[in-house]
Amino acid sequence: MGKRERALLRPGKFRGRVLVMDAGDVQRAVWRIAHEILERNRGTEGLVLVGLQSGGVWLAKELAKAVAAASGSEAGRAVPVGALDVAYYRDDIGLRPVLPVAATDVPVALDEAVVVLCDDVIFTGRTVRAALNALMDIGRPAAVQLAVMVDRGYRELPVRPDYVGKNLPTRRDEMVDVSSEGVMLGEVVDEVSAGGQS
Amino acid sequence: MLVAGGTVVDQGGSRRADVLVKGEVVAEVGEGRALRAPAGADVLDASGCVVAPGLVDLHAHLREPGAEEAESIETGARAAALGGYTAVVAMPNTSPPADSAAVVRQVLQLAKGASCDVRPAGTITLGREGRVLSPMAELAALGVTLFTDDGTGVQDPGLMRRAMEYASVLGGVIADHCEDAYLVGAGVVNEGAVSSALGLPGRPAVAEEVMVLRDLALARLTGARLHLLHLSAAASVAAVRAATASGVQVTAEATPHHLALTQEWLAGYSTAFKVNPPLRTSADMMALRQGLSDGTIDVIATDHAPHPPEAKETSMCEAAPGMVGLETALAVSMTVLLDPPGSLSSPGRDNEAGQEHWTGLPLERLLAAMSWLPAKIAGLSALHGGPVAPGAPANLCVVDPARKWVVRPEKLASRSHNTPFAGQELTGKVRHTLLAGEPVVVAEEAQR
Amino acid sequence: MSGRHLLGVGDLGAEGIGEVLRLAETFEEVGRRPIPRVPALRGKTVVSTFFEESTRTRLSFELAAKRLSADLSTFSSASSSLKKGESLRDTVLTIEAMGVDAFVVRHACAGVPAQVAGWLSGEASVVNAGDGAHEHPTQALLDCYTLVRERRARFGAEPQRPLALAGLHVAIVGDIRHSRVARSCLLAFSALGASVTLVAPPTLLPPALEGWPVEVSHDLDALLPKCDVVYLLRLQNERMEGQFLPSPREYTATYGLTAERARLLGPSALVMHPGPVRRGVELAAEVADGPASLVTSQVASGVAVRMAVLYLLLGSGALVGA
């Protein structure tokens, strides 16, 4: 479960237990995924990276830098980056508090673009489903691909990422915290008990 | 029948006494000693109770003829008896209104066999339209003593002057609903802080004051007997006080709701509290109590105004004004006015403001305001409100002053349940009522 | 939002208003998409119950509900329910029995939305779309939204949280007495930190202002140079005929924002009006169409703000488990 899912649940505090990837690992994964994106799409033509609010936005930005750098002299040109908030497309509205965390901002037209959705963690696949629906209301991309830093399993919908930083076996009740600083596996604990331990 | 174990309270004061009733009259008052019930006679338990002359209401809307879905003379009289009343003056704003001998006769006919004495009032003007005088002499010949266009006031001062002049030789009293229609406009609640906050059009207190001042001046001019219905504003009380001091023949009434409630109760847009004149500020409420205390206000009258649910379950602007009161008037008055004063559960602090200065009324004053003074104004003293003495008509109420009860609208005997006191715990309840020697209420249950 | 209803601005507080404004921004972005609709309220039923005619507000609410994918039904009756022999309560309970998640209520009499909220037996929400001279909370919210957005766009003024209008001087001018917009706006503006002055002839002020967070002035000319915002109210036809004002001409001369009077405003002052504008009476045409005017922008904000309100009440789950 990534930051977004955690924020949707009752208040708690993430307590990391195991460092699964350090900052260097994350950076190397970004570079590898950037190369895979270039390889699959034969360059940056028509490419748009769209991060899912909020955990996927930094990944989209990092990938955009890496893709631009890796594509070398051919393109030095920037790859457009967007941010998508899928709150209004979620299927659990009314079941638990669902509020957008930040504005959707897709600066270019998506018609005929190749959109790479970027997120920190893929878990049930429901967020990606919501994102696909949201994208279709914004434009009609030629193709949509999915890049995630961590795939932790437990899919509930037929969704599979195209680019994965790390496949990480987890328990269902565990949490995964992803940032450019690294990937932590741990649990969410009550504010009270967390406070008691600190 | 023997009313045993009670304390008699009437204009002669208060004394421990059993009361023996034979036929329609009081046969014996056993002051300070227990009377023995004759063989076969019923005994009504009055232990711990006050035995008083039956209450008299100068102001009840019984709705018949014309609005029987709200109330009938039968149901209204039953409610009255349960409230301790042995006589009520039925307001003439029926449909058709009591502006003709035919309607007055109909009301008198319907009142036969009712649980209390029902005395129709007549209108001042035909159709209550404020244009043409009613046949007041013809109505007076049928026993009508109180003339009013209540529901609205007589707006035309020239016509009001003529009505007073005309009525002055009939032995009747002109009773006015004092609100100037121009100043009232479309108002639905007291004009002021509450109306402003709620965004509802206001009915200013000055609309009442202006009309009171006009009527007092006309009464002075004509020498007519004037009765002012349901006063609600401090300025009105002051005007009546000054006029009485200068010799104007005026009597005035206040309702239990104006004596117990303030405009703050309207904060939740509850139409149960919509009434004309409107509930006003706590300063107005305290001025009414003061007026009652010093005799400026003679009478507590109910302005019992039953309405069916559909007339109240609508917007504040469209809802019918008024509230039922016959079954709660005495209890509300006892709860908030007697010494030591109690209070109702309140919607806001303002309702409490100023109440600490209220020292309370003696029970004798309260009963005077609800029995013998209204009987005198309505010309009913021969039958009602008289002293509890041998030979007097046995119109009596027996009240348990300590009995606490909670107002449940659905339990009211009135056909309508629009009480503003729903859920309130009141202190004091009528245990028995005797109408011409007949027990019409026994142990809080209606017998007719 | 503290409860499940929006009956007045007081139900929100500064935090709640801030939340509405934040969501409205996201819905304004939705409105710019090729398909300006989100599935957020699929399966929810919104009924607009307008007991008083209002084309603009109703259209705005209905568009908002549709853009959230709610099912929408419309009940329209300007006539008194009493005339049909059915009480207002019966009418409302009948609609509720059909399965409704939100009532959007407009009524010519103050208090009806609160009464409706009290009558409902289920969990439906009530949104006040204007009740008598009481409140019109969504109008005030869209005005706050417009003001914050325009100040950011024009002057780069980033709103402080939660007091997004801190330090601003707002004058609300005109028929305060009969205006639900004025009541809601003065509450919302002052909740967000603005200081509000009411400007009107005594006949058009409420009978009592005790407890209101406002100053009162009868001198618009003296006030204008100090104003950051001048909010002009619409003058209804029936107020112009005799009892409250001698004539529209005299009103304009004293309280209208004429072109000449507008010159007293500072360079960054903004002019607002809930519409429809009576050009030449409350507001000169050249001022209404001039650069300081936010009138068009106000109208444009309506749908996004009402989407935010409906979503907060019905979809956000802010109430789930509460």
Side-chain angles (χ1 to χ4, degrees), chain C residues 52-73:
Chain C
E52 177 190 59
E53 279 314 315
S54 155
T55 316
R56 294 151 44 103
T57 304
R58 194 169 89 198
L59 210 58
S60 177
F61 265 111
E62 293 184 354
L63 269 175
K66 286 177 176 170
R67 288 186 174 182
L68 289 164
S69 302
D71 293 320
L72 174 77
S73 289

Side-chain angles (χ1 to χ4, degrees), chain B residues 205-222:
Chain B
V206 74
E208 177 176 287
E209 184 191 0
V210 161
M211 220 45 156
V212 165
L213 289 168
R214 181 203 74 172
D215 284 354
L216 291 169
L218 292 175
R220 175 178 290 125
L221 175 73
T222 59

Side-chain angles (χ1 to χ4, degrees), chain B residues 364-392:
Chain B
E364 288 79 1
R365 173 68 191 104
L366 186 66
L367 290 172
M370 298 187 78
S371 177
W372 45 95
L373 290 178
K376 189 169 163 224
I377 291 167
L380 298 173
S381 292
L383 281 174
H384 296 277
V388 182

Side-chain angles (χ1 to χ4, degrees), chain A residues 84-85 87-91 93-106 129 133-134 136-139, chain C residues 19 22-23 25-27 29-30 33-42 44 68 311-312 314-318 320:
Chain A
L84 187 63
D85 189 288
Y88 301 132
Y89 291 82
R90 295 195 65 88
D91 59 9
I93 286 174
L95 300 179
R96 55 186 183 180
V98 178
L99 285 168
V101 291
T104 289
D105 179 18
V106 178
R129 195 283 306 163
N133 283 67
M136 298 309 156
D137 283 353
I138 293 172
Chain C
E19 190 66 356
R22 189 177 79 80
L23 287 196
E25 232 173 290
T26 70
F27 285 117
E29 182 273 323
V30 169
R33 297 180 189 175
I35 300 174
R37 171 192 280 247
V38 291
L41 295 188
R42 269 191 319 164
K44 300 285 185 186
L68 289 164
Y311 184 74
L312 267 178
L314 296 182
S316 68
V320 173

Side-chain angles (χ1 to χ4, degrees), chain C residues 63-213:
Chain C
L63 269 175
K66 286 177 176 170
R67 288 186 174 182
L68 289 164
S69 302
D71 293 320
L72 174 77
S73 289
T74 296
F75 173 90
S76 177
S77 167
S79 66
S80 155
S81 56
L82 276 177
K83 284 175 199 152
K84 294 177 299 183
E86 182 185 59
S87 74
L88 185 60
R89 179 171 180 270
D90 287 340
T91 304
V92 166
L93 294 186
T94 303
I95 298 170
E96 187 193 19
M98 296 175 190
V100 169
D101 296 292
F103 285 82
V104 177
V105 180
R106 157 83 67 125
H107 200 288
C109 186
V112 169
Q115 289 178 288
V116 171
W119 289 329
L120 295 177
S121 55
E123 297 294 305
S125 295
V126 176
V127 183
N128 182 356
D131 62 330
H134 179 227
E135 281 221 42
H136 193 356
T138 58
Q139 175 72 43
L141 290 169
L142 75 86
D143 289 332
C144 290
Y145 179 76
T146 306
L147 196 50
V148 169
R149 186 190 53 188
E150 289 287 337
R151 284 179 45 80
R152 183 193 284 140
R154 288 166 187 240
F155 319 124
E158 276 304 324
Q160 304 166 35
R161 288 264 164 80
L163 300 182
L165 302 178
L168 292 191
H169 288 89
V170 182
I172 301 180
V173 185
D175 185 5
I176 318 285
R177 172 187 276 261
H178 302 98
S179 175
R180 51 190 165 221
V181 173
R183 276 177 178 70
S184 286
C185 278
L186 74 88
L187 291 172
F189 292 159
S190 63
L192 295 184
S195 54
V196 177
T197 305
L198 305 180
V199 190
T203 50
L204 295 181
L205 282 172
L209 286 167
E210 51 194 85
W212 292 35

Side-chain angles (χ1 to χ4, degrees), chain A residues 69-194:
Chain A
S71 62
S73 59
E74 174 231 325
R77 66 171 186 265
V79 178
V81 176
L84 187 63
D85 189 288
V86 303
Y88 301 132
Y89 291 82
R90 295 195 65 88
D91 59 9
D92 50 0
I93 286 174
L95 300 179
R96 55 186 183 180
V98 178
L99 285 168
V101 291
T104 289
D105 179 18
V106 178
V108 293
L110 297 185
D111 293 342
E112 300 311 316
V114 173
V115 173
V116 179
L117 286 177
C118 305
D119 206 0
D120 51 355
V121 180
I122 184 164
F123 183 32
T124 63
R126 289 178 187 270
T127 302
V128 174
R129 195 283 306 163
L132 288 170
N133 283 67
L135 274 185
M136 298 309 156
D137 283 353
I138 293 172
R140 187 186 179 283
V144 180
Q145 299 164 4
L146 176 61
V148 298
M149 183 51 65
V150 171
D151 181 350
R152 58 169 296 195
Y154 298 103
R155 210 79 74 243
E156 294 170 1
L157 294 174
V159 174
R160 187 175 53 78
D162 300 274
Y163 315 103
V164 179
K166 184 177 182 62
N167 284 296
L168 181 63
T170 58
R171 289 199 323 271
R172 205 181 164 98
D173 59 340
E174 283 175 311
M175 297 283 165
V176 181
D177 182 77
V178 177
S179 73
S180 56
E181 302 299 306
V183 173
M184 259 314 209
L185 187 61
E187 290 81 24
V188 165
V189 293
D190 290 347
E191 299 273 23
V192 180
S193 57

